[in-house]
Amino acid sequence: MPRKNELERKALQIILEAGEDGILQSEMWKKLGVTSREGSRLALKFEEKGAVVRERVLHKGRWTYKLFSQTKLVSLESIRDCPCIVCEGLDKCFSGGQISPIHCQQLTLWMDPSLADSIE
Ligand code: SF4
């Protein structure tokens, strides 16, 4: 049986890879090769740490839990249009610098286009 930390890392990876569909708690412990008791203990521990959300679901006539990772996979596609990528001031832009991401309107609008009317 893998060491405790390795087991937790593997469990979190399984839950993360399940993505937005989540994974039934029973599927997680079967994939891990642990008992239902150990699987439940891990799921509870992850929930307490805020790494996982457990949602009660009815599956094949029985109540169980579905696990959803609070960590999301990020793709390069998600930052494709980020203005920083082509910004001429990138190498001078830092918190506390002359130009800063904290006060950058371009970045703010890219993150939340709904603010377009409130930023001039
Ligand atoms: S935060 Fe603004 S100023 Fe800074 S690198 Fe990004 S786009 Fe350029």
Side-chain angles (χ1 to χ4, degrees), residues 83-84 87 90 93 99 101 104 106-107:
C84 303
C87 180
L90 179 62
C93 181
I99 53 175
C104 178
Q106 275 183 286
L107 185 61

Side-chain angles (χ1 to χ4, degrees), residues 1 4 7-8 10-12 14-15 23-48 52-54 64-67:
M1 178 181 270
K4 189 176 163 192
L7 192 66
E8 289 183 9
K10 200 172 163 189
L12 285 170
I14 289 169
I15 300 167
I23 185 168
L24 290 171
Q25 194 166 283
S26 57
E27 287 177 27
M28 187 268 288
W29 58 256
K30 282 177 191 166
K31 282 187 175 188
L32 272 179
V34 298
T35 64
S36 61
R37 184 176 175 162
E38 179 67 6
S40 298
R41 193 193 62 75
L42 282 173
L44 272 170
K45 184 175 180 179
F46 295 155
E47 185 179 51
E48 283 171 13
V52 163
V53 168
R54 292 188 323 145
T64 183
Y65 286 97
K66 210 166 190 185
L67 309 174

